[in-house]
Amino acid sequence: MRFSSLLLAAVTGLAFGLAGCGDVSSVGAPMSSTATPPVLHSGLPSETLLQKMQVAPTAVAYSGVRRIEQSWQVGETVYSTSYREDVASDGQGRVALQSLELIAPSLPPRSEELWRMLQESRDGFLFRYRDFRIHDVAQMVTNYSPIATGVRTRVAGRECEELVFALRHGASFTYNLAVDHQTGLVMRCEQVATDGRVMGLVEFESLELRPRFAADFPWDESSNQEEPLPASQAERLAAVGFRPRQPEGDGGRFQLLESTIVRSPEPDGVGELTWVKSTLTDGIEVVFVLHGGSDPSLLSDDVMRVAPSVGPWNHVEGTLRGERFMALGRASADELLDLIASTLD
Amino acid sequence: MKPELPPDCHAFRVAALDRAARPEHACAECERWVARLAQREGLLRTLPRKVAPSELDGLSERELESEGRRARAVRALESLARVDASEELDRAVEALAAGPGPQFAQRAPSVLDRLVAEELANPVKARVARQLENLPRLEAPVALEQRLARELAEPRVATKPAARLSRAWLAVAAAAIALLSLAPLAFERRDTSSGLQTARAARPFRVERLESTRDLSPSARAWLETVSSGLLAQNNI
């Protein structure tokens, strides 16, 4: 589908789906930004800006300090976490994320040090999947109604446009963004739940463009050791030892982004399990569906177990027809279960 | 299962393994055991020594020098409080030394205990709940919503006692019909935390809601730990 026709669809969605949103500029005003008087136009963000946003995290050379705030519900309790991190990109694909300080909760120094070490091992995942990211512009416009509120604001000294992204159909989060219109970097992202609760905030406190990086700058080194899934069924069978089952994304909210092979330790710690990981996106959110093949020791009970939500994340796992399945994503448990159901013949 | 070693034989053999001064001990079996040990050591010494690949030195050096990881790891490990082994663990280790026993069987997840208990307490109810859980959610017709809105908007008028009674019976009948048709909704669960909810078609499997992330597999828990930046461990969830 051409981008222009997708934009037309977005305009229609704006007219019918989001009329009456009112003054979006007043939604969730952050504490450290300085709003300037709104400009006269509002509507769709430009195609150029959306495409800049898609590539900016790794195509722009920058370094900065960000503050992350999470207010996540698990069961009946809301847990708040807040920390600062250094973020950097050389504009050539190399990135780095390093947690600087845990603001809340307050932990003993040794425990905070341990937390920082563990964060170091998670930095690649957090960079790619925690932050707001447009993974596919065309898919995003199909599923979301992006709105440029017409409000200009300054975040960390950069002039930004305020954008709002809401799912067209069904319930999901709303993202209130401040986007640097020159670079496309998301300078501030507020994630709002369907009931109006602010669940997360990622905001730059400082930003330097085109900084000089030392030769021994600690760039993130990928450690997940994933392998691409071969194209042909015969090669797949040889690579993983079973016929991989993958979700059918045709016509649905989520479309396949990539397929890889991952390995994890066996639950008893002896040996390892091989999984086929399908990564899907609706343009913004990413979900992972894993198929682990059959195991004669598993009961063919056909049960999927749904974990309690951890903030915006949901997880389901179980065995179907004696085969292992898992799915994780910032999508409802029902959507994860539907994706798994679509893998079955 | 092997017979348990007498304490003095055990002490004698441990001293031999530690190359410590061995206590006086007149036991032919233990003497033979020590002789076999010396024989194995001698055989191992005759094996040619393998040389580590030359790249290993460079790799080890780079790993140790990267961003003071070693220093941080040492500091973090030093900060961990020593945990004394419980008596139960001592017993388990002793039993392990003597051979695997039934006490090493894996513990089933707590949710399984609950489900089995519910199934045994009321098998019919458990089966019906499973069936209903997978039924599709029914949407109320738009016409019903409009009619309700119209009726609520109409001004209320005083009614005679007989008319009130018949309306009461009608209300009871309507409630009974609604209860029957909406029964599946009672089993429809929601993602209460993230607030995401959509109506679903039936799936070819049973869905079980866990009460705690502790009932998940280790891989799944590790994943949630990563996406939450350590929230579960920090709060002992």
mmCIF file of all heavy atoms in Angstrom, chain B residues 173-202:
data_model
loop_
_atom_site.group_PDB
_atom_site.id
_atom_site.type_symbol
_atom_site.label_atom_id
_atom_site.label_comp_id
_atom_site.label_asym_id
_atom_site.label_seq_id
_atom_site.Cartn_x
_atom_site.Cartn_y
_atom_site.Cartn_z
ATOM 1 N N ALA B 173 -38.304 -11.551 35.325
ATOM 2 C CA ALA B 173 -38.150 -12.431 34.160
ATOM 3 C C ALA B 173 -37.019 -11.944 33.263
ATOM 4 O O ALA B 173 -36.181 -12.728 32.789
ATOM 5 C CB ALA B 173 -39.463 -12.477 33.374
ATOM 6 N N ALA B 174 -36.970 -10.609 33.055
ATOM 7 C CA ALA B 174 -35.913 -10.052 32.190
ATOM 8 C C ALA B 174 -34.541 -10.312 32.798
ATOM 9 O O ALA B 174 -33.585 -10.658 32.095
ATOM 10 C CB ALA B 174 -36.131 -8.545 32.016
ATOM 11 N N ALA B 175 -34.475 -10.168 34.133
ATOM 12 C CA ALA B 175 -33.181 -10.388 34.803
ATOM 13 C C ALA B 175 -32.733 -11.834 34.648
ATOM 14 O O ALA B 175 -31.546 -12.125 34.418
ATOM 15 C CB ALA B 175 -33.288 -10.027 36.279
ATOM 16 N N ALA B 176 -33.725 -12.772 34.761
ATOM 17 C CA ALA B 176 -33.379 -14.194 34.640
ATOM 18 C C ALA B 176 -32.850 -14.499 33.242
ATOM 19 O O ALA B 176 -31.840 -15.204 33.081
ATOM 20 C CB ALA B 176 -34.620 -15.044 34.934
ATOM 21 N N ILE B 177 -33.530 -13.929 32.221
ATOM 22 C CA ILE B 177 -33.073 -14.153 30.837
ATOM 23 C C ILE B 177 -31.681 -13.577 30.633
ATOM 24 O O ILE B 177 -30.794 -14.199 30.052
ATOM 25 C CB ILE B 177 -34.083 -13.520 29.841
ATOM 26 C CG1 ILE B 177 -35.394 -14.304 29.889
ATOM 27 C CG2 ILE B 177 -33.524 -13.504 28.422
ATOM 28 C CD1 ILE B 177 -36.556 -13.609 29.205
ATOM 29 N N ALA B 178 -31.487 -12.367 31.169
ATOM 30 C CA ALA B 178 -30.179 -11.724 31.005
ATOM 31 C C ALA B 178 -29.080 -12.544 31.678
ATOM 32 O O ALA B 178 -27.993 -12.726 31.123
ATOM 33 C CB ALA B 178 -30.223 -10.323 31.612
ATOM 34 N N LEU B 179 -29.395 -13.081 32.875
ATOM 35 C CA LEU B 179 -28.392 -13.879 33.589
ATOM 36 C C LEU B 179 -27.978 -15.100 32.782
ATOM 37 O O LEU B 179 -26.798 -15.434 32.684
ATOM 38 C CB LEU B 179 -28.949 -14.338 34.939
ATOM 39 C CG LEU B 179 -28.718 -13.385 36.113
ATOM 40 C CD1 LEU B 179 -29.409 -13.914 37.348
ATOM 41 C CD2 LEU B 179 -27.219 -13.228 36.366
ATOM 42 N N LEU B 180 -29.015 -15.761 32.194
ATOM 43 C CA LEU B 180 -28.719 -16.966 31.417
ATOM 44 C C LEU B 180 -27.874 -16.654 30.189
ATOM 45 O O LEU B 180 -26.912 -17.355 29.879
ATOM 46 C CB LEU B 180 -30.027 -17.644 30.984
ATOM 47 C CG LEU B 180 -30.744 -18.428 32.088
ATOM 48 C CD1 LEU B 180 -32.110 -18.874 31.597
ATOM 49 C CD2 LEU B 180 -29.909 -19.638 32.496
ATOM 50 N N SER B 181 -28.252 -15.565 29.493
ATOM 51 C CA SER B 181 -27.537 -15.270 28.242
ATOM 52 C C SER B 181 -26.165 -14.662 28.486
ATOM 53 O O SER B 181 -25.286 -14.758 27.641
ATOM 54 C CB SER B 181 -28.367 -14.341 27.361
ATOM 55 O OG SER B 181 -28.588 -13.140 28.064
ATOM 56 N N LEU B 182 -25.995 -14.034 29.638
ATOM 57 C CA LEU B 182 -24.713 -13.360 29.887
ATOM 58 C C LEU B 182 -23.788 -14.175 30.793
ATOM 59 O O LEU B 182 -22.746 -13.685 31.208
ATOM 60 C CB LEU B 182 -24.947 -11.979 30.517
ATOM 61 C CG LEU B 182 -25.721 -10.994 29.641
ATOM 62 C CD1 LEU B 182 -25.943 -9.683 30.382
ATOM 63 C CD2 LEU B 182 -24.993 -10.719 28.339
ATOM 64 N N ALA B 183 -24.197 -15.416 31.095
ATOM 65 C CA ALA B 183 -23.381 -16.230 32.003
ATOM 66 C C ALA B 183 -21.914 -16.320 31.584
ATOM 67 O O ALA B 183 -21.020 -16.220 32.421
ATOM 68 C CB ALA B 183 -23.980 -17.630 32.125
ATOM 69 N N PRO B 184 -21.637 -16.477 30.275
ATOM 70 C CA PRO B 184 -20.224 -16.567 29.897
ATOM 71 C C PRO B 184 -19.415 -15.347 30.304
ATOM 72 O O PRO B 184 -18.224 -15.447 30.541
ATOM 73 C CB PRO B 184 -20.270 -16.700 28.365
ATOM 74 C CG PRO B 184 -21.619 -17.229 28.068
ATOM 75 C CD PRO B 184 -22.518 -16.682 29.125
ATOM 76 N N LEU B 185 -20.083 -14.206 30.402
ATOM 77 C CA LEU B 185 -19.337 -12.990 30.755
ATOM 78 C C LEU B 185 -18.753 -13.090 32.157
ATOM 79 O O LEU B 185 -17.746 -12.461 32.468
ATOM 80 C CB LEU B 185 -20.254 -11.764 30.682
ATOM 81 C CG LEU B 185 -20.764 -11.410 29.284
ATOM 82 C CD1 LEU B 185 -21.610 -10.163 29.357
ATOM 83 C CD2 LEU B 185 -19.603 -11.191 28.339
ATOM 84 N N ALA B 186 -19.413 -13.879 33.004
ATOM 85 C CA ALA B 186 -18.912 -14.010 34.372
ATOM 86 C C ALA B 186 -17.547 -14.662 34.389
ATOM 87 O O ALA B 186 -16.780 -14.501 35.320
ATOM 88 C CB ALA B 186 -19.889 -14.846 35.198
ATOM 89 N N PHE B 187 -17.255 -15.400 33.344
ATOM 90 C CA PHE B 187 -15.973 -16.095 33.295
ATOM 91 C C PHE B 187 -14.971 -15.369 32.416
ATOM 92 O O PHE B 187 -13.869 -15.815 32.253
ATOM 93 C CB PHE B 187 -16.186 -17.522 32.793
ATOM 94 C CG PHE B 187 -17.013 -18.324 33.742
ATOM 95 C CD1 PHE B 187 -18.373 -18.383 33.602
ATOM 96 C CD2 PHE B 187 -16.407 -18.978 34.803
ATOM 97 C CE1 PHE B 187 -19.148 -19.102 34.497
ATOM 98 C CE2 PHE B 187 -17.172 -19.703 35.699
ATOM 99 C CZ PHE B 187 -18.551 -19.758 35.542
ATOM 100 N N GLU B 188 -15.395 -14.262 31.825
ATOM 101 C CA GLU B 188 -14.476 -13.475 30.995
ATOM 102 C C GLU B 188 -13.552 -12.718 31.918
ATOM 103 O O GLU B 188 -13.984 -12.011 32.802
ATOM 104 C CB GLU B 188 -15.288 -12.502 30.143
ATOM 105 C CG GLU B 188 -14.463 -11.669 29.227
ATOM 106 C CD GLU B 188 -14.324 -12.282 27.850
ATOM 107 O OE1 GLU B 188 -15.046 -13.241 27.568
ATOM 108 O OE2 GLU B 188 -13.501 -11.800 27.103
ATOM 109 N N ARG B 189 -12.253 -12.918 31.773
ATOM 110 C CA ARG B 189 -11.306 -12.205 32.635
ATOM 111 C C ARG B 189 -10.754 -11.007 31.891
ATOM 112 O O ARG B 189 -10.788 -10.919 30.685
ATOM 113 C CB ARG B 189 -10.154 -13.135 33.017
ATOM 114 C CG ARG B 189 -10.587 -14.461 33.576
ATOM 115 C CD ARG B 189 -11.195 -14.278 34.962
ATOM 116 N NE ARG B 189 -11.568 -15.573 35.498
ATOM 117 C CZ ARG B 189 -10.770 -16.327 36.225
ATOM 118 N NH1 ARG B 189 -9.551 -15.946 36.461
ATOM 119 N NH2 ARG B 189 -11.183 -17.483 36.696
ATOM 120 N N ARG B 190 -10.206 -10.080 32.645
ATOM 121 C CA ARG B 190 -9.621 -8.884 32.046
ATOM 122 C C ARG B 190 -8.177 -8.738 32.487
ATOM 123 O O ARG B 190 -7.802 -9.169 33.561
ATOM 124 C CB ARG B 190 -10.398 -7.646 32.500
ATOM 125 C CG ARG B 190 -11.751 -7.536 31.837
ATOM 126 C CD ARG B 190 -12.667 -6.665 32.681
ATOM 127 N NE ARG B 190 -14.039 -6.802 32.217
ATOM 128 C CZ ARG B 190 -14.579 -6.042 31.307
ATOM 129 N NH1 ARG B 190 -13.894 -5.101 30.750
ATOM 130 N NH2 ARG B 190 -15.826 -6.222 30.928
ATOM 131 N N ASP B 191 -7.394 -8.056 31.637
ATOM 132 C CA ASP B 191 -6.048 -7.686 32.036
ATOM 133 C C ASP B 191 -6.189 -6.425 32.876
ATOM 134 O O ASP B 191 -6.187 -5.321 32.369
ATOM 135 C CB ASP B 191 -5.189 -7.377 30.800
ATOM 136 C CG ASP B 191 -5.045 -8.601 29.952
ATOM 137 O OD1 ASP B 191 -4.967 -9.685 30.533
ATOM 138 O OD2 ASP B 191 -5.003 -8.465 28.728
ATOM 139 N N THR B 192 -6.376 -6.602 34.154
ATOM 140 C CA THR B 192 -6.742 -5.468 34.999
ATOM 141 C C THR B 192 -5.638 -4.431 35.067
ATOM 142 O O THR B 192 -5.894 -3.259 35.244
ATOM 143 C CB THR B 192 -7.050 -5.951 36.417
ATOM 144 O OG1 THR B 192 -5.968 -6.769 36.831
ATOM 145 C CG2 THR B 192 -8.333 -6.714 36.465
ATOM 146 N N SER B 193 -4.413 -4.869 34.913
ATOM 147 C CA SER B 193 -3.326 -3.913 35.079
ATOM 148 C C SER B 193 -3.192 -3.003 33.879
ATOM 149 O O SER B 193 -3.183 -1.794 33.993
ATOM 150 C CB SER B 193 -2.029 -4.667 35.311
ATOM 151 O OG SER B 193 -0.975 -3.783 35.330
ATOM 152 N N SER B 194 -3.072 -3.591 32.689
ATOM 153 C CA SER B 194 -2.840 -2.760 31.523
ATOM 154 C C SER B 194 -4.141 -2.224 30.944
ATOM 155 O O SER B 194 -4.115 -1.332 30.123
ATOM 156 C CB SER B 194 -2.093 -3.561 30.458
ATOM 157 O OG SER B 194 -2.808 -4.724 30.154
ATOM 158 N N GLY B 195 -5.277 -2.753 31.381
ATOM 159 C CA GLY B 195 -6.553 -2.236 30.920
ATOM 160 C C GLY B 195 -6.860 -2.545 29.472
ATOM 161 O O GLY B 195 -7.639 -1.854 28.836
ATOM 162 N N LEU B 196 -6.212 -3.554 28.907
ATOM 163 C CA LEU B 196 -6.457 -3.902 27.512
ATOM 164 C C LEU B 196 -7.448 -5.049 27.454
ATOM 165 O O LEU B 196 -7.266 -6.054 28.099
ATOM 166 C CB LEU B 196 -5.145 -4.335 26.837
ATOM 167 C CG LEU B 196 -4.001 -3.356 26.971
ATOM 168 C CD1 LEU B 196 -2.773 -3.882 26.268
ATOM 169 C CD2 LEU B 196 -4.383 -2.015 26.403
ATOM 170 N N GLN B 197 -8.490 -4.879 26.704
ATOM 171 C CA GLN B 197 -9.544 -5.884 26.691
ATOM 172 C C GLN B 197 -10.260 -5.894 25.357
ATOM 173 O O GLN B 197 -10.668 -4.859 24.860
ATOM 174 C CB GLN B 197 -10.544 -5.570 27.816
ATOM 175 C CG GLN B 197 -11.846 -6.309 27.736
ATOM 176 C CD GLN B 197 -11.692 -7.778 28.054
ATOM 177 O OE1 GLN B 197 -10.754 -8.174 28.707
ATOM 178 N NE2 GLN B 197 -12.596 -8.581 27.575
ATOM 179 N N THR B 198 -10.383 -7.037 24.740
ATOM 180 C CA THR B 198 -11.147 -7.147 23.503
ATOM 181 C C THR B 198 -11.910 -8.457 23.510
ATOM 182 O O THR B 198 -11.502 -9.416 24.155
ATOM 183 C CB THR B 198 -10.215 -7.144 22.274
ATOM 184 O OG1 THR B 198 -9.065 -7.925 22.583
ATOM 185 C CG2 THR B 198 -9.776 -5.753 21.906
ATOM 186 N N ALA B 199 -13.037 -8.501 22.780
ATOM 187 C CA ALA B 199 -13.814 -9.727 22.697
ATOM 188 C C ALA B 199 -13.089 -10.715 21.796
ATOM 189 O O ALA B 199 -12.470 -10.334 20.820
ATOM 190 C CB ALA B 199 -15.182 -9.415 22.122
ATOM 191 N N ARG B 200 -13.152 -12.015 22.119
ATOM 192 C CA ARG B 200 -12.365 -13.019 21.402
ATOM 193 C C ARG B 200 -13.213 -14.165 20.912
ATOM 194 O O ARG B 200 -14.217 -14.513 21.519
ATOM 195 C CB ARG B 200 -11.304 -13.598 22.333
ATOM 196 C CG ARG B 200 -10.312 -12.610 22.816
ATOM 197 C CD ARG B 200 -9.384 -12.194 21.699
ATOM 198 N NE ARG B 200 -9.199 -10.763 21.741
ATOM 199 C CZ ARG B 200 -8.535 -10.065 20.849
ATOM 200 N NH1 ARG B 200 -8.002 -10.657 19.809
ATOM 201 N NH2 ARG B 200 -8.405 -8.777 20.954
ATOM 202 N N ALA B 201 -12.748 -14.790 19.855
ATOM 203 C CA ALA B 201 -13.376 -16.029 19.395
ATOM 204 C C ALA B 201 -12.816 -17.188 20.216
ATOM 205 O O ALA B 201 -11.803 -17.037 20.883
ATOM 206 C CB ALA B 201 -13.048 -16.219 17.924
ATOM 207 N N ALA B 202 -13.497 -18.343 20.135
ATOM 208 C CA ALA B 202 -13.047 -19.505 20.899
ATOM 209 C C ALA B 202 -11.680 -19.962 20.390
ATOM 210 O O ALA B 202 -11.404 -19.903 19.189
ATOM 211 C CB ALA B 202 -14.059 -20.620 20.738
#
